[in-house]
Amino acid sequence: MRIAEKPLLKLEVFCEDGIRFEPKGPLAPLAQPITERINRIFRDEKPISKEAPFIFSTWIPPAPSLAFDRMLSAQVGAILKRRIPDQFSIAVIRGCPNRCIHCAAPSRKGDILEADLIKRSIGEALDLGSYLITFDGGEPMLREDLPQLVSSVDERAISACFTSGHGLSKERAVALKRAGLGAIRVSIDSPNASEHDRVRGRIGAFQDALSGVRNALDAGLLVDLFMVVSPSNIDDLDEAYGLAMELGAHELSLCEIVAVGRWSSHIDEVLSPKDLQIMERFHREKNRLEDGPRVTSLPHLMDPSLFGCFAGRRWMHVDASGEALPCAYMPLSFGNIGGAKLSDIWKAMGQSTWFSGRSACHMKDPAFRKAHPSLTE
């Protein structure tokens, strides 16, 4: 299937045995090293959809599309050391009905970013090259104007939204789809209702998640079950996959717990190297299956041998007070969008030696945490 076409370069994708990209045209020899690297990473992967449009993941734009072309440009930029914020995420509200024990932004005060400021920042992120715009919180569904915010993302990027499922009614799901939202990421901490509710700090949170998934699917949205993996639920991966399959979710994304926010004092209660190997094996095994949702283990893909951690290098996050951070798990501000241009903030991040090359998560690095003691205050 042809997924990108320029006058001097065309890109075909083949899915017979894993995923393989093949460049064609006069510039194919120049593109070959890039596609070979991508092919090495994706040889054991499976897409969400092999039909047109080709959808690899909820984290990647469908192809063909302008957003997909921009993603390819970003990959070339990364190889050439040209910094592009592939992903721009913004916490549109701090309020949340839950009290998750691992929340990276534990304050539930009523900070709400102004709509015009959000829209301006999204426009600036798009100008910088972002191809994935993510709405975060708190609980984004608490904002009545969320569909209007989503509609400010133009065809240069795809948009996604994190939610606990609270407030994701049938009507809200339809409104978000009409506004152009591409994917919903519904948080699931356990396939067991009582355990999920315990982690979320609220009875009924599990049912909210299930209801939100069903409403999003009925509205035609891509649905990703997003699971923060910790030592307490690392043994529940197969059950979580079964739940995703039963619900009809398109993807199951796995993120490792980070010792920050409410979990900052639990520095020793994080995943071990053996746990990370279990997640990588799970990622590979499930993606070899013909049926069932795609699995994306973010720690596996963010390993320095593959893409490396995106924080401050290919990802910028804005919290609910407008502070621009390298990622949602690193409360280290490089400026506030209320008084600075996003391009200047992004440039400042790039001047930090911590974000100069592929690396593992800095929040797991004792040297980084020692150099920034305020991160755990």
Side-chain angles (χ1 to χ4, degrees):
M1 180 191 305
R2 181 161 297 174
I3 57 175
E5 184 167 1
K6 299 293 182 182
L8 300 178
L9 180 65
K10 301 171 179 60
L11 188 64
E12 306 275 352
V13 64
F14 301 90
C15 304
E16 292 84 1
D17 184 17
I19 296 175
R20 179 173 59 85
F21 296 96
E22 184 176 314
K24 296 180 181 295
L27 293 183
L30 294 177
Q32 196 70 42
I34 299 171
T35 54
E36 285 180 355
R37 180 174 182 272
I38 294 174
N39 287 340
R40 284 196 298 272
I41 295 173
F42 291 146
R43 64 176 177 263
D44 294 325
E45 303 290 335
K46 76 174 179 182
I48 288 175
S49 172
K50 298 179 182 179
E51 308 299 326
F54 175 81
I55 302 175
F56 176 72
S57 165
T58 59
W59 299 91
I60 294 178
S65 69
L66 174 58
F68 184 82
D69 290 346
R70 283 161 60 88
M71 186 213 69
L72 293 178
S73 295
Q75 304 314 307
V76 174
I79 293 173
L80 299 177
K81 310 299 183 184
R82 188 174 70 243
R83 297 179 69 255
I84 295 172
D86 298 46
Q87 177 178 180
F88 175 71
S89 57
I90 185 164
V92 297
I93 189 170
R94 197 183 299 276
C96 182
N98 305 304
R99 190 173 179 81
C100 303
I101 62 177
H102 54 56
C103 183
S107 172
R108 295 199 295 173
K109 296 178 181 178
D111 290 348
I112 303 177
L113 283 176
E114 295 180 6
D116 288 345
L117 186 57
I118 293 171
K119 293 177 181 179
R120 190 194 78 193
S121 298
I122 289 173
E124 292 177 351
L126 292 171
D127 290 342
L128 285 170
S130 297
Y131 59 80
L132 172 59
I133 306 295
T134 301
F135 296 89
D136 203 348
E139 175 50 72
M141 297 302 149
L142 294 177
R143 286 198 65 136
E144 292 298 323
D145 63 346
L146 184 59
Q148 288 72 44
L149 300 178
V150 169
S151 66
S152 67
V153 181
D154 62 34
E155 63 180 356
R156 289 177 289 175
I158 57 171
S159 58
C161 183
F162 279 98
T163 179
S164 66
H166 178 83
L168 184 51
S169 64
K170 289 183 179 295
E171 294 76 16
R172 173 51 65 94
V174 169
L176 291 171
K177 174 67 176 178
R178 288 175 177 168
L181 189 72
I184 282 281
R185 305 197 194 285
V186 181
S187 298
I188 192 81
D189 291 300
S190 171
N192 178 278
S194 60
E195 176 61 11
H196 176 86
D197 288 357
R198 183 191 71 80
V199 175
R200 292 271 136 181
R202 182 173 64 86
I203 295 175
F206 187 74
Q207 290 305 317
D208 276 350
L210 299 192
S211 176
V213 167
R214 292 175 180 129
N215 291 337
L217 289 170
D218 287 346
L221 289 162
L222 290 175
V223 173
D224 174 33
L225 284 193
F226 187 86
M227 185 175 182
V228 176
V229 182
S230 69
S232 65
N233 65 7
I234 184 71
D235 294 327
D236 297 334
L237 296 183
D238 277 308
E239 288 185 60
Y241 185 83
L243 177 63
M245 182 181 292
E246 177 185 337
L247 291 170
H250 300 92
E251 191 161 17
L252 171 65
S253 290
L254 307 175
C255 177
E256 65 176 309
I257 198 164
V258 180
V260 67
R262 288 204 184 98
W263 207 251
S264 59
S265 62
H266 299 255
I267 189 69
D268 295 324
E269 297 179 57
V270 292
L271 298 180
S272 67
K274 181 180 178 181
D275 291 331
L276 295 176
Q277 289 175 0
I278 290 172
M279 291 175 66
E280 178 183 349
R281 194 158 54 244
F282 181 82
H283 171 112
R284 293 183 183 280
E285 289 175 354
K286 297 305 181 186
N287 285 334
R288 291 192 188 104
L289 301 176
E290 183 66 25
D291 298 321
R294 170 182 163 73
V295 170
T296 294
S297 175
L298 295 171
H300 165 54
L301 294 176
M302 299 304 173
D303 186 88
S305 65
L306 298 179
F307 291 106
C309 180
F310 274 29
R313 193 172 60 89
R314 302 178 69 170
W315 179 15
M316 177 164 41
H317 176 76
V318 172
D319 71 13
S321 58
E323 299 297 328
L325 320 173
C327 81
Y329 302 100
M330 188 183 293
L332 180 64
S333 177
F334 281 80
N336 192 290
I337 61 172
K341 293 181 179 179
L342 212 61
S343 57
D344 292 336
I345 296 173
W346 184 242
K347 182 178 179 180
M349 282 188 193
Q351 292 172 342
S352 170
T353 56
W354 292 103
F355 310 119
S356 60
R358 284 204 305 269
S359 67
C361 173
H362 287 313
M363 293 304 292
K364 296 166 59 178
D365 181 359
F368 180 83
R369 295 177 75 100
K370 183 178 182 180
H372 303 88
S374 63
L375 297 181
T376 55
E377 291 179 354

